[in-house]
Amino acid sequence: MATVLAPDTHAPQREMFPDHTIQRDSGNPHWTRLSSSSALDHIPGEDGLPVVGVTFRMLADPEKFGREMRDKYGPVYRTNAFGRRQVALFGADANELVLFDRDKVFSSEQGWGPVLNLLFPRGLMLMDFDHHRADRRALSIAFKPAPMRHYAEALNEGIGVRVLEWSNKDISFYTEIKKLTLDLAATSFLGIPWGPEADKINTAFVDMVQASIGVVRRPLPFTKMGKGVAGRKFLVDYFTPEVKKRREQQGPDMFSQFCRATRDDGSLLTTDEVVDHMNFLMMAAHDTITSSASSLIWLLAKNPEWQDKIRAELLEHAPAGAPMPYDALPNLELTEMAFKEALRLIPPVPSTPRRALKAFEFGGYRIPAGTPVSISSSYTHKQEEHWPDPLRFDPMRFTPEATRNRHKYAWVPFGGGAHMCLGLHFAYMQIKVLLHHILSQHRIVIEPGYNPAWQAWPIPQPKDGLKVRFEKI
């Protein structure tokens, strides 16, 4: 249980982002700060080395580090990493406290801001409360049935062509799906064909995503952050003049939907708001779907009996190689359960940061306002109390009967509460279409004994690119 101990002191989000200090407290006077550096001394944990703290231990193996810290200190502990003291909270109750956020204690803006503010300012995930709710409601127009039906057609066409190119070849699946996801974003999200223009946009997005995890946080020349900021400038310059055109053209793509999005009073989002939301959502959709598609293909390769079960289901609704109809997608229950199980075992966002705007209590500790806090889906998804034999791949964990009595926040790959992923149904659709075109025509095959290592930070991916072969049936 959590108890709110102080009034809400959070201030509205800033509108201007002049330089690199927007990632720091010094550049955000409205951010809530700890009263003193000793305010977390009463919470057990480790500060580590001077300056760097435990950052390198955490980056080397996040799951191992978290396991060692929990064994030593329990489900609430303090660390000093990435230049600041912070508190980690573990378990389904912690997930519910932070994500459902009944008392508006936790700021997503101030949690993600130090990582993403320079590259993706004003993105939906970097907003809180009323501002977030208003923009989320406006953007939901892009995920209504009519545009989703259009996206399904574009996904079927693009995925169908690319999967045929993979047939009977040894491929690095992560590398290939990353390219495909970017190309699909060009058509479904932006409404432009594959080609030189899409390649430039894709390069800018890749540079921005890489910059978000760069060690050097200033946009100096030749650094990842420098390339990322240049990528953002390219995209802002590209998107901005397009907004007026898209409002007039009435296109079905996601960008055009955002351009026509209105608030409750009927007013359009501003051009800058449309551009920032488009930048952020393309980033969020691209990296997470690339990771989760890779984990699902890997797990199906290891469990070929599930390939057979899913293939049979898919072929009930569409012939091999034919488009999967949009109206059939909700009926692909086994396919969806397999995807959910992959998201459980390898969640694409292993941990979620927030900052406490008010003091609260959890796990017997008083945690003061201004504390950076994090929760871990990666940990909760493998707790035996919720998931017996947690490392086993078993999609049947997600039948209605199996989920009925499980803690609602024991499975949180898409977040939860007000910040539940806006594009989760698009993710389900893309994965179902992808699996149809792969499994209706192929077996996913790996070499005997193959067991690739996975990079856990910041988004899970196979270190060798995931070597698989799609053998034609």
Side-chain angles (χ1 to χ4, degrees), residues 144-188:
K144 301 292 185 184
M148 288 286 280
R149 190 178 296 274
H150 165 75
Y151 308 150
E153 293 173 0
L155 291 173
N156 268 297
E157 181 179 355
I159 291 172
V161 170
R162 194 66 58 90
V163 167
L164 289 178
E165 296 175 3
W166 298 340
S167 290
N168 291 327
K169 294 179 182 176
D170 295 318
I171 64 170
S172 170
F173 181 78
Y174 181 85
T175 304
E176 294 298 329
I177 195 64
K178 188 177 183 71
K179 294 176 185 175
L180 175 56
T181 304
L182 284 166
D183 288 340
L184 292 172
T187 54
S188 298

Side-chain angles (χ1 to χ4, degrees), residues 201-425:
I201 292 171
N202 290 348
T203 298
F205 269 110
V206 170
D207 287 344
M208 291 170 71
V209 171
Q210 289 300 311
S212 69
I213 60 169
V215 175
V216 179
R217 304 308 296 169
R218 295 192 179 192
L220 302 174
F222 311 113
T223 64
K224 287 184 178 180
M225 186 60 77
K227 291 180 67 176
V229 170
R232 171 174 168 75
K233 183 180 185 303
F234 172 84
L235 290 173
V236 169
D237 290 345
Y238 173 83
F239 285 138
T240 298
E242 284 287 313
V243 173
K244 183 178 180 181
K245 298 178 188 176
R246 300 299 181 98
R247 283 175 175 161
E248 295 170 350
Q249 292 170 353
Q250 302 291 306
D253 57 275
M254 193 175 294
F255 182 33
S256 296
Q257 297 285 334
F258 285 175
C259 290
R260 300 194 298 273
T262 58
R263 304 191 188 281
D264 287 345
D265 63 2
S267 62
L268 291 165
L269 297 178
T270 68
T271 296
D272 288 347
E273 288 171 330
V274 171
V275 170
D276 285 331
H277 283 309
M278 196 65 227
N279 269 338
F280 172 76
L281 287 174
M282 279 195 68
M283 177 276 293
H286 162 252
D287 259 29
T288 54
I289 204 69
T290 299
S291 175
S292 55
S294 298
S295 62
L296 178 56
I297 292 298
W298 161 236
L299 290 164
L300 289 175
K302 290 203 303 179
N303 297 272
E305 70 279 8
W306 271 98
Q307 294 185 44
D308 296 337
K309 293 176 184 178
I310 293 170
R311 181 182 300 111
E313 177 182 73
L314 293 166
L315 290 173
E316 288 179 5
H317 298 282
M324 175 58 69
Y326 174 75
D327 292 334
L329 294 173
N331 300 322
L332 302 178
E333 296 177 353
L334 288 178
T335 309
E336 184 166 317
M337 289 192 295
F339 182 40
K340 288 180 175 179
E341 178 70 340
L343 292 171
R344 181 188 71 82
L345 286 165
I346 310 177
V349 183
S351 64
T352 301
R354 293 287 191 268
R355 186 181 295 202
L357 304 176
K358 314 171 186 179
F360 68 98
E361 289 182 353
F362 183 79
Y365 295 97
R366 181 188 188 281
I367 301 173
T371 302
V373 300
S374 66
I375 55 172
S376 172
S377 60
S378 183
Y379 169 74
T380 314
H381 287 186
K382 296 182 180 69
Q383 282 187 278
E384 289 193 12
E385 64 188 271
H386 307 299
W387 314 99
D389 194 6
L391 299 183
R392 180 170 58 92
F393 179 72
D394 181 10
M396 299 308 289
R397 301 180 197 270
F398 291 93
T399 64
E401 295 76 21
T403 58
R404 185 170 295 122
N405 295 320
R406 187 180 296 138
H407 195 300
K408 186 178 179 181
Y409 285 82
W411 185 80
V412 288
F414 293 109
H419 278 275
M420 179 75 79
C421 175
L422 182 63
L424 70 90
H425 295 298

Side-chain angles (χ1 to χ4, degrees), residues 26-58:
S26 60
N28 294 275
H30 68 287
W31 283 7
T32 304
R33 307 186 189 192
L34 280 168
S35 58
S36 69
S37 60
S38 62
L40 301 180
D41 284 352
H42 63 290
I43 298 173
E46 299 176 14
D47 285 328
L49 299 171
V51 183
V52 298
V54 299
T55 302
F56 293 119
R57 286 172 57 198
M58 187 182 293

